[in-house]
């Protein structure tokens, strides 16, 4: 067993040095299989599934059909996504598995991409392995909830921010727009994503303002940083206020 372990480690080391991208992808696929073996669906997922079914049937995002709408979910983007299988006649639980596993795979690869320039090739693969074999993280690749979608968007924000930091391109428009879009999508997934992605947006804004460039250009880049997120989130908040009569979901008040 020890000899086999040393042999496997040697193969991984050789592959990591020769083709690190292939090594990370193969390891991520193995971890994806492990996550599928750990699949489950939790009871809270059926809240989103019920709202999604009513949306797909044309009744809107409501819990009961003959009552005023109440926002009893906290994962708008995921709930809307779950309307797709209802609309197409697909099994919603299996669809949620597929969506969660794709997000899980993306999160793993983004984590490896972030770790690689900081730690090196083999430690980055070890990071990937430790994350993917963590039982809670592996199990919640499924669950029927938005957990992995939020994790994917957070790691995308981290990757974009660290890439701007590493290349010193705080005034480049594309990464600023991308970070803003990721933040907006994360907020649509869960409002409390602001706790995770807010610091990244503030870091980007701080670095934009401190660049040696004309003030007009820096302000224009700040606008790029805020525009996609605002275009995604503000209409949604206005719709929530008009449809539900409140910005915060009913679950917030129930728990308070």
């Amino acid at each position: 067993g020890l000899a086999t372990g040393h042999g496997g480690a040697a193969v991984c080391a050789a592959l990591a040095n020769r083709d690190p991208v292939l090594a990370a992808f193969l390891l991520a696929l193995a971890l994806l299989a492990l996550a599928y073996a750990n699949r489950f669906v939790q009871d809270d997922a059926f809240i989103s599934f019920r709202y999604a079914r009513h949306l797909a049937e044309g009744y809107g995002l409501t819990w009961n059909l003959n009552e005023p709408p109440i926002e009893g979910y906290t994962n708008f983007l995921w709930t809307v996504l779950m309307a797709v299988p209802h609309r197409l006649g697909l099994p919603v639980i299996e669809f949620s598995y597929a969506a969660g596993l794709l997000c899980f795979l993306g999160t793993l690869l983004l984590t490896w991409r972030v770790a690689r320039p900081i730690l090196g090739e083999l430690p980055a693969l070890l990071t990937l392995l430790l994350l993917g074999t963590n039982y809670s993280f592996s199990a919640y690749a499924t669950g029927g909830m938005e957990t992995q979608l939020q994790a994917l968007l957070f790691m995308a924000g981290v990757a974009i921010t660290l890439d701007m930091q590493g290349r010193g391109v705080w005034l480049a428009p594309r990464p600023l727009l991308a970070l803003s879009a990721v933040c907006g999508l994360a907020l649509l997934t869960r409002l409390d994503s602001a706790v995770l992605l807010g610091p990244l947006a503030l870091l980007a804004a701080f670095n934009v303002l401190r660049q040696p460039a004309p003030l007009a250009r820096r302000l224009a880049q700040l606008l790029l940083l805020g525009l996609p997120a605002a275009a995604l989130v503000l209409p949604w908040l206005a719709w929530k206020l008009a449809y539900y009569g409140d910005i915060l979901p009913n679950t917030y008040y129930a728990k308070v």
Side-chain angles (χ1 to χ4, degrees):
L2 185 61
T4 303
H6 282 307
V11 170
C12 289
L15 185 56
N17 291 326
R18 184 171 180 177
D19 194 338
V21 176
L22 178 60
F25 186 70
L26 292 176
L27 179 56
L29 288 180
L31 295 170
L32 187 69
L34 176 64
Y36 182 75
N38 291 329
R39 68 191 181 280
F40 80 110
V41 62
Q42 64 185 83
D43 53 354
D44 281 1
F46 291 91
I47 299 173
S48 295
F49 295 165
R50 180 180 172 95
Y51 276 95
R53 188 184 78 220
H54 288 162
L55 177 63
E57 292 172 349
Y59 299 110
L61 285 169
T62 183
W63 179 251
N64 289 327
L65 300 185
N66 298 316
E67 296 178 5
I70 295 175
E71 187 182 11
Y73 58 91
T74 56
N75 50 5
F76 172 78
L77 188 58
W78 180 260
T79 300
V80 171
L81 179 62
M82 289 303 104
V84 173
H86 285 295
R87 185 70 176 176
L88 298 179
L90 301 174
V92 65
I93 293 176
E94 286 74 11
F95 185 91
S96 74
Y97 286 165
L101 287 167
L102 283 175
C103 292
F104 173 81
L105 180 62
T107 304
L108 288 177
L109 293 175
L110 283 172
T111 302
W112 168 77
R113 183 187 171 205
V114 166
R116 188 182 178 194
I118 299 171
L119 302 176
E121 298 296 357
L122 280 176
L125 283 178
L126 179 60
T127 301
L128 178 60
L129 178 65
L130 291 174
L131 176 62
T133 53
N134 177 280
Y135 180 74
S136 294
F137 192 78
S138 179
Y140 275 92
T142 54
M145 298 293 289
E146 76 287 351
T147 312
Q148 279 301 329
L149 177 58
Q150 189 183 38
L152 173 66
L153 291 168
F154 172 63
M155 283 310 303
V158 170
I160 294 167
T161 305
L162 291 182
D163 185 61
M164 287 192 289
Q165 176 73 43
R167 296 193 295 126
V169 291
W170 293 106
L171 294 179
R174 286 187 180 180
L176 292 174
L177 288 169
L179 179 59
S180 181
V182 164
C183 289
L185 291 171
L187 289 171
L188 290 178
T189 303
R190 287 188 63 92
L191 266 176
D192 54 10
S193 295
V195 176
L196 296 174
L197 287 157
L200 299 180
L202 290 175
L203 175 64
F206 172 76
N207 280 285
V208 166
L209 288 174
R210 64 192 293 266
Q211 296 305 302
L215 178 60
R217 187 184 176 196
R218 285 178 283 161
L219 292 177
Q221 301 312 96
L222 278 183
L223 182 62
L224 291 180
L225 179 59
L227 192 58
L232 288 168
V233 175
L234 292 181
W236 171 57
L237 294 180
W239 169 80
K240 277 160 63 78
L241 192 59
Y243 190 68
Y244 295 115
D246 207 331
I247 288 178
L248 296 176
N250 185 62
T251 48
Y252 166 79
Y253 298 104
K255 291 180 179 180
V256 168

